[in-house]
Amino acid sequence: MVTDAATGATNAPTVGFLGLGIMGTAMCRNLLKCGAFSKVIVWNRTASKCDELVAEGAVAASSPAEVVQQADITFGMLADPEAALKAALGPAGVAEGVSAGKAYVDMSTVDEATSQQIAAAVAAKGGRFLEAPVSGSKKPAIDGQLIILAAGDEALFKECEAAFSAMGKRSLFLGAVGAGARMKLVVNMVMGSMMGAFCEGMALADRAGLAQSDLLDVLGLGAMANPMFALKGPALQQRQYPPAFPLKHQQKDMRLALALGDALDQPLPVAAAANEAYKQAKSKGYADADFAAVYEATQISNLSLN
Amino acid sequence: MVTDAATGATNAPTVGFLGLGIMGTAMCRNLLKCGAFSKVIVWNRTASKCDELVAEGAVAASSPAEVVQQADITFGMLADPEAALKAALGPAGVAEGVSAGKAYVDMSTVDEATSQQIAAAVAAKGGRFLEAPVSGSKKPAIDGQLIILAAGDEALFKECEAAFSAMGKRSLFLGAVGAGARMKLVVNMVMGSMMGAFCEGMALADRAGLAQSDLLDVLGLGAMANPMFALKGPALQQRQYPPAFPLKHQQKDMRLALALGDALDQPLPVAAAANEAYKQAKSKGYADADFAAVYEATQISNLSLN
Amino acid sequence: MVTDAATGATNAPTVGFLGLGIMGTAMCRNLLKCGAFSKVIVWNRTASKCDELVAEGAVAASSPAEVVQQADITFGMLADPEAALKAALGPAGVAEGVSAGKAYVDMSTVDEATSQQIAAAVAAKGGRFLEAPVSGSKKPAIDGQLIILAAGDEALFKECEAAFSAMGKRSLFLGAVGAGARMKLVVNMVMGSMMGAFCEGMALADRAGLAQSDLLDVLGLGAMANPMFALKGPALQQRQYPPAFPLKHQQKDMRLALALGDALDQPLPVAAAANEAYKQAKSKGYADADFAAVYEATQISNLSLN
Amino acid sequence: MVTDAATGATNAPTVGFLGLGIMGTAMCRNLLKCGAFSKVIVWNRTASKCDELVAEGAVAASSPAEVVQQADITFGMLADPEAALKAALGPAGVAEGVSAGKAYVDMSTVDEATSQQIAAAVAAKGGRFLEAPVSGSKKPAIDGQLIILAAGDEALFKECEAAFSAMGKRSLFLGAVGAGARMKLVVNMVMGSMMGAFCEGMALADRAGLAQSDLLDVLGLGAMANPMFALKGPALQQRQYPPAFPLKHQQKDMRLALALGDALDQPLPVAAAANEAYKQAKSKGYADADFAAVYEATQISNLSLN
C-alpha cells in the first residue's frame, strides 16, 4: 500500500466482487479484512444480500458493469455457469463495463466452454481475464483456506497475489484459460474413483466377516491415510449420506472427465467402471445424497434380500 | 515385569523369534531392547544371521522346535508361505516342540489356508496360535512403527501387548484365524485400485495439457492428500519405478481379493478394472518394477508411437 | 398403381431422391426398377452424378426444393449430419420446397438432435416427416436387402411400403422421431461389445495354446454362430483390418450410446469396458482401420516387446 | 467293418460306455444304432439305468474296470469332475482295468487338472487317453449333433471317427490333454460376455423408449444374428429364466477363464466387467436361474423402486 504524500490517499487498488452467496460473502469478507485494498465494491443479484458487507465497509453498486467500471480488478463467484454467463455477458454485465486496464477474475465453477466464452468477451473489450475456480467449500472459504486453480492472464495472476492470499491457502497458475476447469475435472475424477475403491473395500471387509471399523483403523494408519476416508468412513458404516457434495454432481464430473479422456484418446478404465457404479447409485435413488452413497451400488443383495 | 520375592528372579516371560531377515532382525531387536522379556531365543535357517542379535543379548537355538520348547511365546517372521510352513510343520519345526501352555505367533505374510494349516497343527499339540501379519516395511520395522493385524487366540493377543508395543505403533485384533490374511487382501485391494485411479489422473492431466506437478500440488492440498500419492507421484513423472512393492505381488493380491469377492458374491467392478491394468503392465514387462508402474498401462500410445 | 380411365395416365405416386453416393445411387435405382412410381426425380450436390440414373429413366432437378415441389414423397440419403442438414435446411433445401401434402423421408444416418431439427422444419411448413436410417452397407443396398429403421409419421411409413420394399428386406416403424437414431446406437453398442468379447476370446485362445481357427470353428457350430464372427475372424487371425466400418465411428457410437445410458441412469459396465478398449486401439493408431482392430487393444505385449 | 472269411465274425471294434445319465444314454444309443461296433458294453453307478440300453442290444458290466477290459475303446460321460475321477481312479475304476492297447475317452466336462490326472493314471498303465468334452445339450445329444472338443492322443482321435460321427456333427482335435478343457472355457467366456452385451442392449432399448421386440427384430436381421439372441430374447422380455445353463455355472466359467487369462497375463477387461454383472445377479438370488438372468444385474432401479 503506497500513500500519496500530497493527498494522503493510498494508492492501494480498488477491487470489486460479484455474487454474495455463502461462498462469495465469506471470500469477499476476507478481501475487506485484509486491508490491502482501498475500496471493495460489491454487487449481488438480490441487492439486500450486500447489506451485511456494506455494514463492514464495502460499497454497493447496482450492476456488474458499474462494479467493473469502478474497480481495478473484479472477482466473480456466481452459483453456476448460467449465473456466471449472465453476470458477465448479460445486460449491464461485466462485458459492458470492462475496458482496457480493467480485469475480471471469475472464480465460479464453470465448464471450459463457458470460461472461454467469458474470456473472449472480456478480451474483445480490451480487458484482462483469469479463470480461478476454487477447491474447498464453506469452512475453508471462511477461514481463507481455499485452493485457487487459476488460468489465463499470468500477469494478472501475479497482481492478484494479495487477494488470493486473503481468500486461499494456495493459488496455482495452470496455463491458458480452460486449464482451471480441466484441472477440477481431473481432480474430481480421481476423487470419484478413489471413493469407489474405498467403498468396495468397505463392502468386501463386511462380507468377509471383518469389522469395518478395523479396516478404517488400518487405512488410517498407513500410506493411504487421507482426510476423505476418515470423514466418509462413518457415513458408509451407518449408510447415511447427508450431502456435502451431491452424488449427481460427482457423477456429472466423472462423465465430463471421461468425455475429456475420450476426446484425447486416453483410456480410463478404472474411472469408467467407477462411473457405472455412480450411475447405479443414481438409479437406486441416491442422486441427491452425498457422493459417498456410491457405496449403495456395492450393496446389491442387502437391499433386494432384506 | 514381576519379581518373585523369595528367589529374586523376575517372572518376565521368555520369548522366541524365528526368521532373522531384514524385517525379522529389526523386529527382534526391538523385543530385545524393550526390556520386558527375561530372555530372547532366536533361530534362523542360516545360523550365522543370529550372531548380530546374540551379540546384543539374544540366545541362539538350533531349531524352531527348540525355540518353542524354551520360550513362553514364539514369534515367526518367515519370508513366504513356503518358509512359514516349513518352520512350523517341517522337521524340528514349531509343531514338534509346541505343547500345552506354549504359544506361537506367526507374523509372516501368508494366505488364509496356510495360516489355518499352521493353526490346526499347533492346536493339535495343545498350543495356542495367533496370526499377526504386519503392514509396513523396513523403516517402520526398525522404528517399531509397524501395524499388526492379529487374529486367532484373543487372550494370547492380550499377552502379546508388551511385544507388539515394542514392534509396532498399533496392533488390532481382528477375529478368528484367517481374518488377518483377509484384512491384508482388502487393504491391498483398496491400495491397488487407488493407485490405478491416481495413474489415470496423472495420465489425463498430461494429455489435457496440465502440469503433473500442479495436479500433485492440488491433490496434496485437499481431502485426498495421502502419503502414497506424495511418494509415488515423482516415480510417475519420471516413469522410473524402483521396486518397493513389486507390481506382480500387487497384482497377485488384487487377484486373490477378487477371488475372495467372487466366493462371497461381492461385486468389485472398480478393482476388477484396476486388476486388468496391472495385468497389462505385467504383460508389458513391469512385473518386477514397483506397483506404481501400473501407470504404464495408461500410456498406450507413447510406447507404440515412439 | 391406379389408371385414370379418361387420360390413361397412371396415378402412381411420384418420388424424389436426394444424394446419389454409393448407397443412394443403389437405393434410387431400386426405386426406378420396381415400377411402382410414375416418376423418379433426383438431385445430387455434384450434378453429374445424376447422369447414370437419368439414363435409366430418372429426371434430374436442380435443388432439393425443386425435387420436393415435384414429388409426392422425397427420400434423402446424405453422407453425414452436416450434408443432411444442408440439404434439408440450406438454401433451396427441402424446407423451402415443402408444403402441406408433401413428405420427406430422411434415410441418412444422423444423430437424434439433427433428426429433430429437420422434422421441426418440415412440420413448420405443413409437410410430413419420417426418419429412416438403414442398417446394411453397399451390397445390401444394391440387392434391395437393407433394414430400414423408421420413426416419425406412421401413416407416411405405410405409404412408403412400396418404396421400402424396393430398397430393403425389412422396414420397422419404431415410434416418434428420434427412435430410429436411438435404435442405431443401441444396435451398434451391442455390436461393439460383442466384437470386444470376440477379440478377447481370440486373444485368450492364442495365449492358451489353442488354434484360433479351432475357436472359430467351434463358435461357428454353436448357439453363438453369427455372420460377424465368420467375417471378422480371418481379419483377427491375420491382424489386417481393411475398413468396412471404421473403428473411430464404432468408438463414437459407443460413446454416444454410453451418453444415452448416462442420461437415462442405465448402467452399462460391459459397454463401458469395451469402449475403453476401442479408445486404446484408437490411441495405438487404428482409428481408420476396421473396428475389428479393437483386437489390437488385447495384444499389449506383442507390440511392445517385438 | 471287416468280416473274417473263416469265422464270419466281424472285426468291428468293441466299445464301452460309462455313465448313462440323460446325455450318456442318448450318446450311447447313437453308438448302438450306428452299426459300426460289434459290441457295446455299458456301466452306470445305478445299475438299473442300464436296462433300457440292454434291451436295445447293449451288454451290461459291473464296473468301469470290467468295461475297459472287454472294450477296445471306452467312452465316459460322467456328471461332474468328482464322478469322472471316481469312475477313472476309484475302486474297480478305469485305471484298474486299463492296459496296453486299451483306450479311454473321457467326454465329461471337467477342469484341466482333473483331465491331466486321469490322463496320467491311464498312461501309467500303458493305456491311451483322449479328453473329449462336448458342446451341446440334450437335444443335440439325441440327434447326434454334438460338437466334440478332443485333445490328447491324436491317433486315438482318428480311431474314434466312427463313434464321434455317430454322436456328433463335428469333432475337432485341439492338441495335448487340457486343450479341450481350455477351449470350453474360452468359448463360455465369449458366451458370457456376449450375453452381457445383449442384456445391456435390451435394457438400454427399454429405457430409451424403444420396443425390445424391435431390437430383437433388428438384431435378428443383421450381421449379429445368432441362435442365442433369438432363444434368450423372449426370456429377457418376460424376465423369466427357466434354467438351461445355470447362471452359477456360467459365472464359474467366467471366473476360471479370467484366472486362465491372469495366469497368462492376458488382459480381458470386457469379460471382467461381465463377470461382475454375473456376480451381481448371483447376489440378487439368480444363481440357479438360467444365465440369461444376468439381465437382472442391469435392472437396478426396477427392483429398488417397485
Side-chain angles (χ1 to χ4, degrees):
Chain A
M1 223 183 299
V2 181
T3 306
D4 184 305
T7 64
T10 63
N11 283 334
T14 297
V15 293
F17 207 99
L18 312 177
L20 299 176
I22 290 171
M23 293 293 286
T25 296
M27 292 158 75
C28 186
R29 177 171 287 127
N30 282 325
L31 291 181
L32 266 173
K33 290 197 309 192
C34 77
F37 307 108
S38 60
K39 209 182 193 179
V40 177
I41 305 145
V42 299
W43 169 87
N44 192 67
R45 191 166 55 92
T46 306
S48 60
K49 284 207 180 166
C50 296
D51 297 350
E52 202 181 337
L53 288 172
V54 167
E56 299 174 27
V59 177
S62 63
S63 73
E66 197 182 312
V67 174
V68 174
Q69 279 156 359
Q70 295 178 28
D72 297 311
I73 302 178
T74 299
F75 298 90
M77 188 63 182
L78 290 310
D80 53 40
E82 289 66 40
L85 272 176
K86 201 175 168 194
L89 310 183
V94 170
E96 278 189 20
V98 84
S99 59
K102 298 291 184 178
Y104 182 51
V105 179
D106 195 347
M107 305 184 78
S108 320
T109 291
V110 300
D111 56 287
E112 188 169 347
T114 297
S115 206
Q116 301 280 12
Q117 203 180 339
I118 296 174
V122 169
K125 299 292 289 291
R128 293 181 299 153
F129 180 75
L130 198 65
E131 70 173 346
V134 302
S135 183
S137 52
K138 188 182 173 184
K139 183 76 165 51
I142 290 171
D143 297 343
Q145 294 291 306
L146 295 167
I147 302 161
I148 297 164
L149 307 175
D153 185 318
E154 192 164 9
L156 175 55
F157 172 73
K158 284 170 185 161
E159 291 172 40
C160 288
E161 194 184 343
F164 287 164
S165 293
M167 295 186 283
K169 69 175 167 186
R170 181 78 180 274
S171 59
L172 294 98
F173 182 76
L174 304 171
V177 171
R182 288 199 301 280
M183 182 61 84
K184 275 211 77 164
L185 283 187
V186 173
V187 169
N188 282 5
M189 179 187 81
V190 173
M191 184 166 75
S193 295
M194 197 164 141
M195 177 58 84
F198 179 50
C199 289
E200 289 187 358
M202 290 289 277
L204 182 57
D206 190 40
R207 288 258 180 134
L210 301 168
Q212 292 184 323
S213 56
D214 285 337
L215 175 59
L216 291 176
D217 280 351
V218 178
L219 289 172
L221 290 163
M224 284 180 277
N226 67 85
M228 185 172 81
F229 286 4
L231 188 67
K232 302 297 185 185
L236 271 53
Q237 289 179 286
Q238 296 152 30
R239 300 181 70 168
Q240 295 293 331
Y241 314 100
F245 183 46
L247 188 137
K248 65 185 174 192
H249 293 166
Q250 174 65 60
Q251 197 270 321
K252 185 196 66 186
D253 284 353
M254 295 300 280
R255 173 162 41 95
L256 294 174
L258 286 165
L260 180 61
D262 198 284
L264 299 166
D265 289 340
Q266 173 60 54
L268 301 166
V270 173
N275 181 46
E276 295 300 318
Y278 284 98
K279 282 166 61 182
Q280 277 202 11
K282 250 180 100 180
S283 208
K284 278 178 152 183
Y286 292 93
D288 295 313
D290 189 64
F291 78 112
V294 69
Y295 183 59
E296 295 299 325
T298 70
Q299 295 296 322
I300 302 308
S301 62
N302 300 32
L303 285 185
S304 60
L305 299 181
N306 288 353
Chain B
M1 225 182 300
V2 180
T3 306
D4 183 304
T7 65
T10 62
N11 285 331
T14 298
V15 293
F17 206 98
L18 312 178
L20 298 175
I22 291 171
M23 293 292 289
T25 297
M27 291 158 74
C28 186
R29 177 171 288 128
N30 283 322
L31 292 181
L32 267 173
K33 291 196 309 192
C34 77
F37 308 107
S38 60
K39 209 181 192 179
V40 176
I41 306 145
V42 299
W43 169 87
N44 192 68
R45 193 166 54 91
T46 307
S48 60
K49 285 208 180 165
C50 297
D51 297 351
E52 200 182 337
L53 289 172
V54 167
E56 299 174 27
V59 178
S62 63
S63 73
E66 197 182 312
V67 175
V68 173
Q69 280 155 358
Q70 295 178 28
D72 297 313
I73 302 177
T74 299
F75 298 90
M77 188 64 182
L78 292 311
D80 53 40
E82 289 66 38
L85 272 176
K86 202 176 169 196
L89 310 184
V94 171
E96 278 188 21
V98 85
S99 59
K102 299 290 185 181
Y104 183 51
V105 179
D106 196 346
M107 304 184 77
S108 320
T109 291
V110 302
D111 56 287
E112 188 168 349
T114 298
S115 208
Q116 302 279 11
Q117 203 179 337
I118 297 173
V122 170
K125 299 293 289 293
R128 293 180 298 153
F129 181 76
L130 198 65
E131 70 172 348
V134 303
S135 182
S137 53
K138 188 184 173 181
K139 183 76 165 51
I142 291 171
D143 298 343
Q145 295 290 305
L146 295 168
I147 302 160
I148 297 164
L149 307 175
D153 185 318
E154 191 164 8
L156 175 54
F157 172 74
K158 283 171 186 159
E159 290 171 39
C160 289
E161 194 184 342
F164 287 165
S165 292
M167 296 187 283
K169 68 176 168 186
R170 180 80 181 273
S171 60
L172 294 99
F173 182 77
L174 303 171
V177 170
R182 288 199 301 280
M183 182 60 85
K184 275 211 78 166
L185 283 188
V186 173
V187 168
N188 281 5
M189 179 187 82
V190 174
M191 184 166 75
S193 295
M194 198 164 137
M195 178 58 85
F198 179 50
C199 289
E200 288 187 359
M202 289 290 277
L204 182 56
D206 191 39
R207 287 258 180 133
L210 302 167
Q212 292 184 324
S213 56
D214 284 337
L215 176 59
L216 291 176
D217 280 351
V218 177
L219 289 173
L221 290 163
M224 283 180 276
N226 66 86
M228 184 172 82
F229 286 4
L231 189 66
K232 302 297 185 184
L236 271 53
Q237 288 178 285
Q238 297 151 32
R239 300 180 70 168
Q240 295 294 331
Y241 314 100
F245 183 46
L247 188 137
K248 65 185 174 193
H249 293 166
Q250 174 64 60
Q251 197 269 321
K252 186 196 65 184
D253 285 353
M254 295 300 280
R255 173 161 43 93
L256 294 174
L258 285 166
L260 180 60
D262 199 283
L264 299 167
D265 290 340
Q266 174 60 54
L268 301 167
V270 172
N275 181 45
E276 295 301 318
Y278 285 98
K279 282 165 62 182
Q280 277 203 9
K282 250 179 100 180
S283 209
K284 279 179 154 182
Y286 292 93
D288 296 312
D290 189 64
F291 78 112
V294 69
Y295 183 59
E296 295 299 324
T298 69
Q299 296 296 321
I300 302 309
S301 61
N302 300 33
L303 285 185
S304 59
L305 300 182
N306 288 351
Chain C
M1 225 182 301
V2 180
T3 307
D4 183 304
T7 64
T10 63
N11 283 333
T14 297
V15 293
F17 206 99
L18 311 178
L20 299 176
I22 291 172
M23 294 292 288
T25 297
M27 292 159 74
C28 186
R29 177 171 288 128
N30 283 323
L31 291 182
L32 266 174
K33 290 197 309 191
C34 77
F37 308 108
S38 59
K39 210 178 189 182
V40 176
I41 306 147
V42 298
W43 169 86
N44 192 67
R45 193 167 53 91
T46 306
S48 60
K49 285 208 179 165
C50 296
D51 297 352
E52 201 181 337
L53 288 172
V54 166
E56 298 174 27
V59 178
S62 63
S63 74
E66 197 182 313
V67 174
V68 175
Q69 280 157 357
Q70 295 177 29
D72 296 312
I73 303 178
T74 299
F75 298 90
M77 188 63 182
L78 291 312
D80 53 39
E82 290 65 38
L85 272 175
K86 201 175 169 196
L89 310 184
V94 170
E96 277 189 21
V98 84
S99 60
K102 299 290 184 179
Y104 182 51
V105 179
D106 196 346
M107 304 184 77
S108 321
T109 291
V110 301
D111 56 286
E112 188 168 347
T114 297
S115 206
Q116 301 281 12
Q117 204 179 337
I118 297 173
V122 170
K125 299 293 287 294
R128 294 180 298 152
F129 180 77
L130 198 65
E131 70 173 347
V134 302
S135 183
S137 53
K138 188 182 174 183
K139 183 75 165 51
I142 291 172
D143 298 343
Q145 295 290 306
L146 295 167
I147 302 161
I148 297 164
L149 307 175
D153 184 319
E154 192 165 8
L156 174 55
F157 172 72
K158 285 170 185 160
E159 290 171 39
C160 289
E161 195 184 342
F164 286 165
S165 294
M167 296 187 283
K169 68 175 167 186
R170 181 80 179 273
S171 59
L172 294 98
F173 182 76
L174 304 171
V177 170
R182 288 199 302 280
M183 182 60 85
K184 275 212 79 165
L185 283 187
V186 173
V187 168
N188 282 5
M189 179 186 81
V190 174
M191 184 166 75
S193 296
M194 197 164 139
M195 177 59 84
F198 179 50
C199 289
E200 289 187 358
M202 289 289 278
L204 183 56
D206 190 39
R207 288 257 180 134
L210 301 169
Q212 292 184 323
S213 56
D214 284 338
L215 176 59
L216 292 176
D217 280 352
V218 177
L219 289 173
L221 290 163
M224 284 180 277
N226 66 85
M228 185 172 82
F229 286 4
L231 187 68
K232 303 296 185 185
L236 271 54
Q237 287 178 286
Q238 297 152 30
R239 300 180 71 170
Q240 295 292 332
Y241 314 99
F245 183 46
L247 188 138
K248 65 185 174 192
H249 293 166
Q250 174 65 59
Q251 198 270 321
K252 186 196 65 184
D253 284 353
M254 295 300 281
R255 174 162 41 94
L256 293 174
L258 286 165
L260 179 61
D262 199 283
L264 299 167
D265 289 341
Q266 173 60 54
L268 301 166
V270 173
N275 182 45
E276 295 301 318
Y278 284 99
K279 283 166 61 182
Q280 277 202 10
K282 250 180 99 180
S283 209
K284 279 179 153 184
Y286 293 92
D288 296 312
D290 189 64
F291 78 113
V294 69
Y295 183 60
E296 295 300 323
T298 69
Q299 294 297 321
I300 302 309
S301 62
N302 300 35
L303 285 185
S304 58
L305 300 181
N306 288 352
Chain D
M1 223 184 300
V2 180
T3 307
D4 183 305
T7 64
T10 61
N11 284 332
T14 298
V15 294
F17 207 99
L18 312 178
L20 299 175
I22 291 171
M23 293 292 287
T25 298
M27 291 158 75
C28 186
R29 177 171 287 129
N30 282 323
L31 292 181
L32 267 174
K33 291 196 309 192
C34 76
F37 308 108
S38 60
K39 211 181 191 179
V40 176
I41 305 146
V42 298
W43 169 87
N44 192 67
R45 193 167 53 93
T46 306
S48 60
K49 284 208 180 165
C50 298
D51 297 350
E52 201 182 338
L53 288 171
V54 167
E56 300 173 25
V59 178
S62 64
S63 73
E66 198 183 311
V67 174
V68 173
Q69 281 155 358
Q70 296 179 27
D72 297 310
I73 303 177
T74 299
F75 298 90
M77 187 65 182
L78 290 311
D80 53 39
E82 290 66 39
L85 273 175
K86 203 176 169 195
L89 311 183
V94 170
E96 278 189 21
V98 85
S99 59
K102 299 290 185 181
Y104 182 51
V105 179
D106 196 346
M107 304 184 78
S108 319
T109 291
V110 302
D111 57 286
E112 188 167 349
T114 297
S115 206
Q116 303 279 12
Q117 204 179 338
I118 297 173
V122 170
K125 300 293 289 293
R128 294 180 297 151
F129 181 75
L130 198 65
E131 70 172 348
V134 302
S135 183
S137 53
K138 189 183 173 183
K139 182 77 164 53
I142 291 172
D143 299 342
Q145 295 290 307
L146 295 167
I147 302 161
I148 297 164
L149 307 176
D153 185 319
E154 191 164 9
L156 175 54
F157 171 74
K158 283 170 186 160
E159 291 173 38
C160 289
E161 193 183 343
F164 286 165
S165 293
M167 296 187 284
K169 67 176 169 186
R170 181 80 181 273
S171 59
L172 294 98
F173 182 76
L174 303 171
V177 170
R182 288 200 301 280
M183 182 60 85
K184 274 211 77 165
L185 283 187
V186 173
V187 168
N188 282 5
M189 179 187 83
V190 174
M191 184 165 75
S193 295
M194 197 164 140
M195 178 58 85
F198 179 49
C199 288
E200 288 187 359
M202 289 290 277
L204 182 56
D206 191 39
R207 288 258 181 133
L210 301 168
Q212 292 184 322
S213 55
D214 284 337
L215 176 59
L216 292 175
D217 280 351
V218 177
L219 289 172
L221 290 163
M224 284 180 276
N226 67 85
M228 184 172 82
F229 286 4
L231 188 67
K232 302 298 185 185
L236 272 52
Q237 288 178 285
Q238 297 151 31
R239 300 180 70 169
Q240 295 294 329
Y241 314 100
F245 183 46
L247 188 138
K248 65 185 173 193
H249 293 165
Q250 174 65 60
Q251 198 270 321
K252 186 197 65 185
D253 285 352
M254 295 300 281
R255 173 161 42 94
L256 294 174
L258 286 165
L260 180 60
D262 198 284
L264 299 167
D265 289 341
Q266 174 60 53
L268 301 166
V270 172
N275 182 44
E276 295 301 318
Y278 284 99
K279 283 165 61 183
Q280 277 203 9
K282 249 179 100 181
S283 209
K284 279 179 153 182
Y286 292 93
D288 296 312
D290 189 66
F291 78 112
V294 69
Y295 183 59
E296 294 300 323
T298 68
Q299 295 295 321
I300 303 308
S301 63
N302 298 33
L303 285 185
S304 59
L305 301 181
N306 288 352

